[in-house]
Amino acid sequence: MTNSEQCKPLTIKGVLFDLDGTLADTAPDMVEALNISLTQFGFPTVSISELRFQASHGSLAMVRTALPTKDEDTHVQVQSALLKNYPQVNGKHCQLFAGLDIFLELLSAHEIPFGVVTNKPAKFTRPLMIKMGLEKMMPSIVSGDTTLHSKPHTAPMKLAAQQLSVRPDQILYLGDAERDMQAAKASGMHAGLAKWGYIAPTDAIEDWPSDISFEDPEALTDWLKNQLGI
């Protein structure tokens, strides 16, 4: 989308977020759970900088990156341990990305409902939202196992739209992965790329089907103010 198109007023009546790498910086918790698991198996631990870009792609992708020379059976075993260890650190270090609190306040002030559509399992998603004090603010929290399919399938997206009581074409979906943009477009939503997220230098974001991109949450807030005419 060109700059002029990015400034073109839209009718946004709802906002949905991907969770990991878009709404919240969950990588520190996920890497800590991974390191606990690696230690249990006698493998060296990894740094947050090594794994940050994989956090949006799930636990198995993180394990594969941490143990590139190991076989798939080992990857699955370590992943299983990671999932067992994750609840004890879920929300321990996690925070909203800087500036998103202001954006959420703006949404609330203008009675624009918002929620989450993530591929993270519900047993991790809802406890995290509760710990962050966001659960009661969100009419929709759709996890990777809430419907029969996860993103980029449209099923979780359409469910979230129903729960917001907003038409898909009036929803901005924010994500930091290609599948997020694919899911938004396939669902008829406006696909917003959160460039502050877990995007690797090698990711060809120019090929992703986004409608609009935001460098940081401040740019996102400024954009919404422009849409609202304030």
Side-chain angles (χ1 to χ4, degrees):
M1 180 174 275
T2 65
N3 288 335
S4 61
E5 288 173 315
Q6 290 198 16
C7 294
K8 182 181 179 181
L10 302 174
T11 305
I12 297 298
K13 296 187 176 180
V15 175
L16 292 168
F17 297 88
D18 169 54
L19 177 51
D20 301 309
T22 301
L23 179 63
D25 187 6
T26 57
D29 292 344
M30 296 171 72
V31 172
E32 181 169 340
L34 173 60
N35 280 335
I36 294 171
S37 307
L38 291 171
T39 299
Q40 290 172 339
F41 281 84
F43 296 126
T45 58
V46 293
S47 68
I48 184 71
S49 60
E50 293 176 85
L51 271 295
R52 187 172 187 82
F53 295 135
Q54 291 298 326
S56 273
H57 302 296
S59 57
L60 187 56
M62 294 180 69
V63 172
R64 286 171 175 160
T65 302
L67 300 171
T69 64
K70 300 301 179 181
D71 59 31
E72 192 66 4
D73 286 343
T74 301
H75 291 161
V76 172
Q77 290 175 19
V78 176
Q79 180 199 28
S80 178
L82 188 161
L83 296 176
K84 290 179 181 178
N85 290 317
Y86 186 63
Q88 65 182 288
V89 298
N90 187 17
K92 181 179 178 181
H93 307 290
C94 178
Q95 297 181 9
L96 286 176
F97 281 99
L100 277 182
D101 55 336
I102 297 173
F103 181 67
L104 297 185
E105 289 171 4
L106 182 62
L107 292 176
S108 297
H110 289 269
E111 299 183 338
I112 299 174
F114 58 91
V116 160
V117 182
T118 175
N119 281 357
K120 187 187 287 290
K123 64 181 180 180
F124 302 139
T125 303
R126 194 163 292 274
L128 179 57
M129 294 297 93
I130 293 172
K131 193 163 187 176
M132 295 183 71
L134 296 173
E135 186 211 20
K136 293 183 178 179
M137 301 172 66
M138 296 181 173
S140 178
I141 299 176
V142 178
S143 301
D145 49 2
T146 301
T147 67
L148 293 177
H149 305 279
S150 57
K151 295 178 297 182
H153 199 279
T154 60
M157 308 291 285
K158 291 180 178 179
L159 174 60
Q162 292 172 358
Q163 293 177 340
L164 290 189
S165 297
V166 178
R167 293 196 333 241
D169 65 332
Q170 296 178 330
I171 293 175
L172 172 67
Y173 183 77
L174 293 162
D176 68 325
E178 183 176 17
R179 66 174 174 275
D180 295 328
M181 302 298 95
Q182 293 169 339
K185 294 294 287 183
S187 303
M189 299 180 186
H190 301 282
L193 180 61
K195 295 178 74 173
W196 62 82
Y198 303 146
I199 299 173
T202 55
D203 286 335
I205 60 174
E206 65 277 3
D207 296 329
W208 296 359
S210 60
D211 293 313
I212 187 170
S213 63
F214 303 98
E215 292 292 333
D216 51 40
E218 182 179 0
L220 174 63
T221 298
D222 289 343
W223 175 84
L224 182 60
K225 286 180 177 179
N226 181 66
Q227 301 303 307
L228 295 171
I230 59 176

